[in-house]
Amino acid sequence: MRFVLPKGRLLQGSLGLLQKAGISLRPPGERRLIERVGNYEVLLARAFDVPVYVEYGIDVGITGSDVLEERGSDVLVPLELPFGKCRLSLAMPGERIAEPEEMDGYRIATKYPRITRRFFEGLGVEVEILKLHGSIELAPKIGIADAIVDIVETGETLRANGLVEVTKVMDVSALLLVNRIAQKTKFEEINELVFSIKEVIRDGT
Ligand code: PRP
């Protein structure tokens, strides 16, 4: 079975959960991106690319629900996982607070153009989207955007940059992703994995 795990903040939670479910995977090193452990192969990828790997052939992956929503990949999601809990929020400088309905013509910086577009379309508000790849909080701080849509976990990064949460766009959690074909061709292995993870979650261990 082949796994694709996200580099970064979800990696430790992913390895810990799989280990409790009886699958001890050694993560590949910083530079080696693939590691073989017994019958398993582990790939390390950017969180945003995990759904793509799973859609196009890797059996199982873990990434955030924000990323899956943004990518819109055609994969199965048998389980929500008990880590990576945070939210995707609209935020802006504290001294210029506005309601999302009043943001016509605003420029919004984000790593999530698709989710952001859909959010504002739902309100009938037309915004300009500025796609960035990280450190999104910089954009309104230095005046190249009016607001941001970004991940908020503790709220520390917003506070440190003088930004205030205006509204939540979506709740976020880590998800288990399964390739559609693998669900059929590796039915038993995958079901066993899902069952073991469910037990770990249920026992809360
Ligand atoms: C994420 C997110 C925020 C921060 C939120 O960034 O984009 O910047 O974490 O966490 P907090 O509410 O606990 O402060 P990440 O560290 O993943 O890096 P990035 O800036 O490259 O997106």
Side-chain angles (χ1 to χ4, degrees), residues 145-164:
D146 301 297
I148 63 170
V149 169
D150 200 21
I151 292 296
V152 181
E153 194 176 345
T154 61
E156 279 302 316
T157 313
L158 289 186
R159 271 192 294 281
N161 290 286
L163 302 175
V164 172

Side-chain angles (χ1 to χ4, degrees), residues 21-128:
I23 299 175
S24 289
L25 301 175
R26 195 155 24 100
E30 271 295 297
R31 303 203 175 271
R32 277 185 59 157
L33 299 175
I34 302 186
E35 188 81 49
R36 233 173 217 300
V37 188
N39 289 332
Y40 303 117
E41 197 166 47
V42 192
L43 284 67
L44 264 198
R46 295 283 294 266
F48 265 80
D49 293 337
V50 166
V52 179
Y53 282 99
V54 175
E55 178 172 0
Y56 289 97
I58 301 302
D59 301 314
V60 175
I62 292 178
T63 198
S65 53
D66 52 333
V67 168
L68 181 61
E69 182 74 18
E70 180 65 25
R71 282 294 204 169
S73 303
D74 184 18
V75 297
L76 299 171
V77 184
L79 279 179
E80 182 177 311
L81 304 176
F83 59 93
K85 305 278 182 200
C86 54
R87 56 194 184 274
L88 192 63
S89 288
L90 175 65
M92 64 192 309
E95 64 279 10
R96 290 198 292 277
I97 286 294
E99 291 301 319
E101 290 80 2
E102 303 163 351
M103 293 191 181
D104 245 312
Y106 275 39
R107 191 180 301 133
I108 316 288
T110 187
K111 271 198 271 195
Y112 303 87
R114 186 175 149 130
I115 295 175
T116 302
R117 190 164 304 287
R118 219 182 279 153
F119 172 76
F120 281 103
E121 273 172 8
L123 298 173
V125 171
E126 204 167 314
V127 295
E128 181 188 343

